[in-house]
Structure formats: C-alpha cells, structure tokens
Amino acid sequence: FNTCREARSVIEQIALSLAAAESALQFEHRDLHWHNILVRPTRQWKLRYRVGGVSYAVFTEGIQVTIIDFTVSRLCHVAVFNFLMHDFILVANFASQLPFFRFLFTEGNIVYVDMADSPEIFECEGDYQFDIYRIMRDLNGNDWRPFNPVTNLYWLHYLMGKLLNETSYPRRDPDSQPVESELRALYDMVLTSNYKSAVELVSSSFYFDTCRIG
C-alpha cells in the first residue's frame, strides 16, 4: 500500500463484505488471517454493498479486496447447501485426502467444519491469529455449529492491527494523519463497544455513516 486512504478502503471493504455475508448467509469466516485477503488494482471508483436492506458504498482508492479460503467457514443457505452437497458427493472418493470434506458437517441448511476435530489448531503461539482460534473456541464452547458472528469482528480487529501497526505507507498525503486517527479510533472500538457482529458495527458505528447511502 502507498497511502492510509488505501488502507482505509481495504478495511471498509472487508467490514462491509463480512456484514453483507452475515446478513445474507449467517456467515462466519473463522480463519481470516492476512494471507486470506487478496488485493488487486481496479478502475472502479466505488463498490456497493447491501446489508440488512441498507445500501453502502466505499471509495476503492484504486484497490479491490477479495476474501478467500472458506475451508472452516460457517454459513446457512439452502442454495449453497445443495451446491456443496452435490460437490461433496462428487469428491467423496477423495475424502481421505481432503480435510475440508472429511470434517464438513451439513445439518439442515447449515454448513460448517467442526474445528474441535483439529485440536492442533489451538496449540500454536506467536501471533494474534493463533489467539483468535482459542478466543473463538471459548466463545462457542467448542460447539462450531451455532452462529457467533462476533468472531468476524475479532478477525477484522486482527487485520486492522496488521494495517495500522505492521505496515508502512511511503506516501504521506495531507489527510494521512486524520485518516490514520479515524482508523485507530475504529480499531480501538471494534471489540470494546459491545458490538456482536459486523452487521452491528456497520449499522451502529458512526464511522460507517459516511458509507451509508440508503
């Protein structure tokens, strides 16, 4: 990244993507470390999102975010359920080589992976990423079926920390300091303001008022 404004756009795109997915699919990513965020140049000026019937728009600053790797994600949707079950049948013969399919659970319309079957995930140390796995387990009592969207906020907080504390921006525009200050204020409040989901964050936080268009 070159500027704080680019970092701001990335954070807003991630937050609104998570909120939209929560609203539509009862979605938790559950493994949104920085290697699962891809960015690419774009000529689009704005990106639009729909969260709970409300429209939002984000200035791209020339960067578009893609979230990847849904291996341990959780969601609920009939169409997605049917698609995954079809693929599951097709690859059943290869299940022993594919941990995702070995641990995939489908109950009704809910698709999730029981991370309790992989206890080694919770033993790693050395980065906030590994702390979040344990935090998620504490939050859900090691029951990975229910919808606990607050986990998305922990991953958003982690990613904001990477952008604010471990990334340098070679170009300092006149508004760099105010933008960074606003982002740090958001970073400080993500986990301390009793928000329970990305939907609540973007719907209730003053920070996203400027993104709301309807």
Side-chain angles (χ1 to χ4, degrees):
F1 301 112
N2 290 313
T3 70
C4 288
R5 291 170 64 181
E6 291 175 351
R8 177 179 63 187
S9 179
V10 167
I11 290 167
E12 291 174 351
Q13 289 181 50
I14 294 169
L16 284 162
S17 294
L18 290 172
E22 285 178 5
S23 178
L25 300 170
Q26 295 185 4
F27 173 83
E28 292 175 65
H29 190 284
R30 295 181 170 174
D31 196 22
L32 197 54
H33 55 78
W34 67 303
H35 293 293
N36 287 336
I37 300 294
L38 304 183
V39 296
R40 64 180 177 87
T42 182
R43 293 182 178 179
Q44 286 185 261
W45 182 44
K46 282 185 177 181
L47 296 173
R48 295 180 180 271
Y49 302 83
R50 191 79 171 168
V51 180
V54 179
S55 295
Y56 297 81
V58 172
F59 291 103
T60 66
E61 305 296 342
I63 290 177
Q64 185 167 0
V65 170
T66 300
I67 295 173
I68 65 168
D69 191 356
F70 306 102
T71 304
V72 296
S73 297
R74 184 260 189 220
L75 56 82
C76 176
H77 193 276
V78 174
V80 176
F81 168 75
N82 290 336
F83 172 78
L84 283 175
M85 281 304 296
H86 175 66
D87 276 8
F88 179 72
I89 292 169
L90 290 177
V91 302
N93 291 333
F94 305 97
S96 62
Q97 303 174 47
L98 296 171
F100 170 65
F101 289 105
R102 187 163 66 247
F103 298 132
L104 178 70
F105 282 81
T106 53
E107 299 179 8
N109 299 334
I110 298 173
V111 180
Y112 71 102
V113 169
D114 191 351
M115 294 175 69
D117 290 333
S118 302
E120 66 278 2
I121 293 174
F122 308 104
E123 297 172 1
C124 297
E125 301 282 351
D127 190 81
Y128 185 23
Q129 169 189 345
F130 306 123
D131 294 332
I132 295 177
Y133 298 135
R134 290 183 285 273
I135 290 169
M136 291 194 300
R137 181 185 59 185
D138 292 342
L139 287 169
N140 63 29
N142 218 19
D143 180 0
W144 298 90
R145 184 183 187 278
F147 181 42
N148 290 290
V150 70
T151 64
N152 289 327
L153 293 184
Y154 278 94
W155 288 111
L156 179 63
H157 187 254
Y158 156 89
L159 291 167
M160 291 186 71
K162 293 293 185 184
L163 288 171
L164 289 170
N165 302 323
E166 300 182 28
T167 306
S168 59
Y169 303 96
R171 198 176 84 208
R172 302 296 293 182
D173 294 332
D175 64 348
S176 291
Q177 187 58 51
V179 169
E180 182 177 348
S181 296
E182 290 175 2
L183 289 176
R184 289 197 177 278
L186 179 63
Y187 175 69
D188 291 339
M189 69 183 293
V190 165
L191 297 180
T192 61
S193 298
N194 296 318
Y195 297 121
K196 302 300 183 184
S197 64
V199 170
E200 284 192 15
L201 176 69
V202 303
S203 300
S204 304
S205 169
F206 68 88
Y207 182 89
F208 290 92
D209 287 348
T210 56
C211 300
R212 197 173 297 117
I213 58 176

